[in-house]
Amino acid sequence: MRCLVLDPPGTLAIREAPVPAPDDQCLIRVRMAGICGTDLQLLAGYAGFRGIPGHEFVGVVERAPRADASWIGRRVVGEINVGCGACSFCAAGTQEHCSHRTVVGIRGRDGAFAEYLALPARNLHEVPPTLDDETAVFVEPVAAACRILEQVRLGARMRIAVLGDGRLGLLIAQVLRTAASDVMVIGRHEHKLAVARGLGLPASSAAAHDPAARAAFDVVVDATGRADGLARALELVRPRGTIVLKSTVHGPTSMTPWPIVVDEVAIVGSRCGPFGRALDLLTAGAIQVKPLIARVARLDDYESAFAGARGSLKVLFRI
Amino acid sequence: MRCLVLDPPGTLAIREAPVPAPDDQCLIRVRMAGICGTDLQLLAGYAGFRGIPGHEFVGVVERAPRADASWIGRRVVGEINVGCGACSFCAAGTQEHCSHRTVVGIRGRDGAFAEYLALPARNLHEVPPTLDDETAVFVEPVAAACRILEQVRLGARMRIAVLGDGRLGLLIAQVLRTAASDVMVIGRHEHKLAVARGLGLPASSAAAHDPAARAAFDVVVDATGRADGLARALELVRPRGTIVLKSTVHGPTSMTPWPIVVDEVAIVGSRCGPFGRALDLLTAGAIQVKPLIARVARLDDYESAFAGARGSLKVLFRI
């Protein structure tokens, strides 16, 4: 099969590889896959990943173990963490924190920038026929946005800022708006802020942001994809407010911890989320993803696709 | 009156100053005051404070506004934040987060390394006769330790690590032990770890700490007083665990934020706490403070007292 391989970190190339053939997993023919900020970080060395990247996908099950044969022919999206099945985290249904886990296209497991990928049936969710591929490929990042709703109790009157006007920021802002009315996007890119406004989200330039808004937000979500996101979020959150960290950024940053203590700020890291809730929100039309699509590319055009993903919104591969 | 003045930052000197005489506050004759890690940070430039430092004290009210005359003659400890009385934080009873607050010996208000200090009556708590001065002077830091119990729900079976074997660390470990049985002190100083063990607390050298203990603790409290405390706490906390930050350290540090996201760690800053609960715990004998006292000094001996406070446990002034 044709696939895109990251090996060594920093170097992408198209390769031919055998179609995966594990006995205990489903084989999925990938139809579309999305480039995520984490993929750009993998290129920079994050997580030391080697192999086929890509963890946002929609595809069709072509083969399955006998016990999972009912999946064959169904159009699916897939949760990306595969736990050991034996540890306390797996037993608690939180395989995303299993210390022996593999993660699709991120850690010890090939991903979706390929014609095929393999996943256990327990990771799969069928896509309703009303969701087209261009929408379904967003289920994984929308689920990650929904994780915030499980972690932070949002009051309807809270002031919420989403820091970062990129792909994930605009999904998060839409998801949080389902639970709270006052959600503002703060970013650095006028063309992305315009997309936010087109989605009905108040949006403000980070550079022009009113100093009076400092220490004004009950909740600040860092979706900047930058290592200094936490420091910027600390400027915006009110005393005893909450910061949600969403950016997985390679490498260290400089920060000054004492304001966390003095203002008794709560910070919570947030990663993967519930696919069921994401599918429900997308099916209900509560989240608009089409305005976020900058380009649909072919795998062979990976160089320009990755270059484009740096400055624009979502770049998808049709595979 | 005789007092110790920090002016400019980095420079301490004994001075003579007028006895404070505000109409609307109580005048307290200070009997004892303790040197806190924050005082050492003030010397290094933290908070840009100029004036009389010292915020841990016990004293006797000598003068009071007519409405508060009942306080005269009573032995007291005092909450250190004085809010504006008008903002939403003050209205909610959280004057420690009032943006216009003064803080005894830390921000815009003279402190306790002096013969007298002034505080509003609403900040005062009477000390029961069963608590001697050497114990009562610990009420403020014990209250700060008790703040953690208000912020983090501790399960009796949780594994808890207190990182830092100093003054505050040993108070925090004793306070947390009232709510959970498995509390370990991790530090760098054998003589302080020995004090911890003398208090019945399991204690472990940070250098020798078993790598298998990494990612093992449900809750890690950073009381290192070091800017890298957060990074060290991140190594010890389990996925989805909680880190409590207690150290107010001047200046920036380098850290790598992605493990917060990937492990979905919660971090909470923690500052001032409930004096009532601290008085109750000390009165009940649940917290031992005498083994933490390294020295009782005179104000004139401030140079050796501050030098000693850097490497030892609690240094008190008898004033």
Side-chain angles (χ1 to χ4, degrees):
Chain A
M1 67 173 185
R2 217 164 164 68
C3 56
L4 188 61
V5 175
L6 176 65
D7 179 28
T11 309
L12 284 171
I14 293 285
R15 300 256 178 89
E16 283 293 326
V19 172
D23 287 345
D24 57 345
Q25 299 177 42
C26 296
L27 181 73
I28 299 154
R29 173 69 178 89
V30 179
R31 291 163 64 110
M32 295 200 88
I35 300 178
C36 163
T38 301
D39 297 316
L40 302 175
Q41 293 297 322
L42 293 176
L43 262 174
Y46 171 66
F49 178 74
R50 293 176 173 226
I52 303 170
H55 57 276
E56 303 174 356
F57 71 92
V58 56
V60 174
V61 178
E62 285 202 358
R63 282 209 308 267
R66 188 179 301 262
D68 303 314
S70 65
W71 282 100
I72 294 173
R74 288 156 78 179
R75 194 166 58 113
V76 297
V77 291
E79 299 189 39
I80 67 176
N81 297 276
V82 181
C84 70
C87 71
S88 61
F89 284 106
C90 288
T94 53
Q95 60 180 335
E96 65 268 35
H97 290 295
C98 168
S99 63
H100 300 293
R101 72 186 177 275
T102 57
V103 185
V104 173
I106 295 176
R107 174 168 153 163
R109 173 176 283 269
D110 281 332
F113 296 155
E115 289 180 271
Y116 290 92
L117 78 97
L119 258 184
R122 68 173 187 272
N123 280 56
L124 304 182
H125 294 257
E126 186 166 13
V127 178
T130 50
L131 290 189
D132 60 18
D133 287 346
E134 286 82 353
T135 304
V137 74
F138 282 88
V139 169
E140 198 278 337
V142 170
C146 290
R147 174 72 182 135
I148 299 171
L149 299 178
E150 298 179 331
Q151 295 178 291
V152 181
R153 189 184 301 249
L154 297 182
R157 294 185 181 185
M158 283 184 176
R159 290 194 68 188
I160 298 166
V162 177
L163 202 53
D165 53 17
R167 297 168 280 270
L168 186 57
L170 298 188
L171 294 177
I172 289 170
Q174 292 185 79
V175 166
L176 299 189
R177 188 172 52 175
T178 67
S181 57
D182 189 351
V183 179
M184 171 175 281
V185 175
I186 300 174
R188 295 168 180 263
H189 310 91
E190 264 314 313
H191 68 286
K192 299 182 187 179
L193 293 170
V195 174
R197 292 188 193 102
L199 292 164
L201 293 160
S204 167
S205 162
H209 202 65
D210 182 357
R214 284 171 184 256
F217 292 95
D218 298 292
V219 177
V220 180
V221 180
D222 167 34
T224 57
R226 298 164 53 100
D228 67 352
L230 173 55
R232 293 175 55 210
L234 276 168
E235 294 174 359
L236 295 174
V237 75
R238 69 164 173 81
R240 294 202 180 167
T242 299
I243 292 173
V244 180
L245 294 186
K246 269 292 181 192
S247 301
T248 46
V249 183
H250 182 60
T253 184
S254 174
M255 71 160 294
T256 302
W258 66 257
I260 302 171
V261 179
V262 170
D263 289 336
E264 296 193 305
V265 173
I267 300 169
V268 59
S270 179
R271 191 162 48 104
C272 298
F275 271 47
R277 194 164 188 170
L279 281 161
D280 289 348
L281 286 175
L282 288 166
T283 305
I287 314 291
Q288 298 301 316
V289 301
K290 295 286 171 68
L292 275 60
I293 300 173
R295 179 182 170 200
V296 179
R298 293 167 45 84
L299 210 50
D300 287 334
D301 298 327
Y302 69 90
E303 285 186 340
S304 66
F306 269 78
R310 283 179 206 288
S312 68
L313 289 166
K314 183 62 78 182
V315 176
L316 302 173
F317 288 120
R318 192 184 311 276
I319 296 171
Chain B
M1 67 173 185
R2 216 163 165 69
C3 58
L4 187 61
V5 175
L6 176 65
D7 180 27
T11 309
L12 284 172
I14 292 286
R15 300 256 179 86
E16 283 292 326
V19 171
D23 286 344
D24 56 345
Q25 299 178 42
C26 296
L27 182 72
I28 299 153
R29 174 68 179 86
V30 179
R31 291 164 63 111
M32 296 199 87
I35 300 178
C36 164
T38 301
D39 297 316
L40 303 176
Q41 293 296 324
L42 293 176
L43 261 173
Y46 172 67
F49 178 74
R50 292 174 175 231
I52 303 171
H55 56 277
E56 303 174 356
F57 72 91
V58 55
V60 173
V61 178
E62 284 202 358
R63 283 208 309 266
R66 186 179 303 258
D68 303 314
S70 65
W71 281 101
I72 294 173
R74 289 157 77 180
R75 193 166 59 112
V76 297
V77 290
E79 299 190 36
I80 68 176
N81 297 277
V82 182
C84 70
C87 71
S88 62
F89 284 106
C90 288
T94 53
Q95 59 179 336
E96 65 268 36
H97 290 294
C98 167
S99 63
H100 301 292
R101 69 184 178 276
T102 58
V103 185
V104 173
I106 296 175
R107 175 167 151 163
R109 174 177 283 269
D110 281 332
F113 297 155
E115 290 179 272
Y116 290 92
L117 77 99
L119 258 184
R122 68 173 186 274
N123 280 54
L124 303 182
H125 294 258
E126 186 166 13
V127 177
T130 51
L131 290 189
D132 59 19
D133 286 348
E134 286 82 352
T135 304
V137 75
F138 282 88
V139 168
E140 198 277 339
V142 170
C146 290
R147 174 71 181 135
I148 299 171
L149 299 178
E150 296 179 333
Q151 295 177 291
V152 181
R153 189 185 301 249
L154 296 182
R157 293 185 183 184
M158 282 184 176
R159 291 193 68 187
I160 299 167
V162 177
L163 203 51
D165 52 17
R167 297 168 279 271
L168 186 55
L170 297 189
L171 294 177
I172 289 169
Q174 291 185 78
V175 166
L176 299 190
R177 190 172 51 175
T178 66
S181 57
D182 189 351
V183 179
M184 171 177 280
V185 175
I186 300 173
R188 294 168 180 263
H189 310 91
E190 265 313 313
H191 68 288
K192 298 182 187 178
L193 293 171
V195 174
R197 293 188 192 103
L199 292 165
L201 292 161
S204 167
S205 162
H209 201 64
D210 182 358
R214 283 170 185 256
F217 292 95
D218 298 292
V219 176
V220 180
V221 180
D222 168 33
T224 58
R226 298 163 54 102
D228 66 354
L230 173 55
R232 292 175 56 209
L234 276 168
E235 295 175 359
L236 295 175
V237 75
R238 68 165 174 81
R240 294 203 180 167
T242 300
I243 293 172
V244 180
L245 294 185
K246 270 291 179 191
S247 301
T248 46
V249 182
H250 181 61
T253 184
S254 174
M255 70 160 294
T256 302
W258 67 257
I260 302 171
V261 179
V262 170
D263 289 336
E264 295 193 305
V265 173
I267 300 169
V268 59
S270 178
R271 190 162 48 104
C272 297
F275 271 48
R277 193 164 189 170
L279 282 161
D280 289 346
L281 285 177
L282 287 166
T283 305
I287 314 290
Q288 299 301 315
V289 300
K290 295 287 171 68
L292 275 60
I293 300 174
R295 180 182 170 198
V296 179
R298 293 168 46 85
L299 210 50
D300 287 335
D301 298 327
Y302 68 91
E303 287 186 337
S304 66
F306 269 78
R310 283 180 205 287
S312 68
L313 289 165
K314 183 63 78 181
V315 175
L316 302 173
F317 288 119
R318 191 184 311 277
I319 297 171

